Amino acid sequence: RDLHTAYRRQRQMCIRDRFAVTGALAALIDVSLTWLLQIGLGLLSADPARAVGFIIGTWAAYLLNRRWTFQAEATAVRFAGVLATYGVTFVVNMVAYKFLFELFDVHWEWNSTLSLVVAFAISQGTATVVNFAVQRWIIFRKAGVRVVAKQDPS
């Protein structure tokens, strides 16, 4: 039993680390596209630029998480669950980003790039923990594995 527990703990650490690497890569894609479209090339305003960055970064995260992090087969149910999860995180990200970017850039008069990076980091970070929990314990859990709270033996 101790060997099984050690294996499960090791696997959880591996999944967590892979999720972190995937998230970092997806965030780099996201923030780079957002900056390029909004500030670098000036093609889009804050909301559309952030939306494009989020969508492309999210697609990359889904593909990497499904294949590498959780090593799960593609199913319509999983994909629908991921879409619903990312839909919620999209709204959280967009609302937080819009508020924070305007606060930092317009009201506090920070440098636009610094405003973008800090607003991005806060809005993205807000959704990351929930995103991991939903994907790990609901969407990509192994068949037959249930999440059960430990019972107090008393």
Side-chain angles (χ1 to χ4, degrees):
R1 181 157 196 220
D2 290 334
L3 185 59
H4 180 69
T5 301
Y7 171 76
R8 286 183 61 216
R9 188 172 296 129
Q10 178 75 17
R11 177 153 166 68
Q12 289 301 324
M13 287 176 23
C14 180
I15 288 171
R16 183 199 64 220
D17 293 347
R18 286 180 178 192
F19 189 85
V21 169
T22 297
L25 288 171
L28 182 61
I29 292 167
D30 186 344
V31 75
S32 296
L33 279 173
T34 300
W35 181 88
L36 184 65
L37 294 171
Q38 182 180 336
I39 295 172
L41 298 175
L43 296 175
L44 299 173
S45 63
D47 291 347
R50 181 69 183 98
V52 169
F54 181 88
I55 290 166
I56 301 299
T58 296
W59 183 250
Y62 168 73
L63 293 175
L64 286 169
N65 277 326
R66 184 181 63 77
R67 289 184 164 257
W68 184 55
T69 305
F70 301 115
Q71 299 170 354
E73 294 297 321
T75 68
V77 172
R78 275 196 184 115
F79 188 68
V82 168
L83 283 180
T85 301
Y86 283 138
V88 170
T89 60
F90 178 75
V91 171
V92 168
N93 271 306
M94 290 299 294
V95 170
Y97 181 79
K98 182 177 178 71
F99 171 77
L100 292 169
F101 182 78
E102 185 174 322
L103 176 69
F104 301 148
D105 191 56
V106 176
H107 298 292
W108 293 2
E109 299 179 356
W110 289 7
N111 169 283
S112 291
T113 296
L114 178 62
S115 297
L116 184 146
V117 169
V118 174
F120 175 88
I122 293 169
S123 64
Q124 187 69 27
T126 301
T128 297
V129 172
V130 171
N131 184 14
F132 176 77
V134 170
Q135 287 196 49
R136 174 65 185 110
W137 299 111
I138 297 172
I139 297 171
F140 292 112
R141 71 181 170 162
K142 296 291 182 193
V145 175
R146 295 183 311 157
V147 178
V148 180
K150 288 187 175 183
Q151 298 292 324
D152 186 2
S154 56

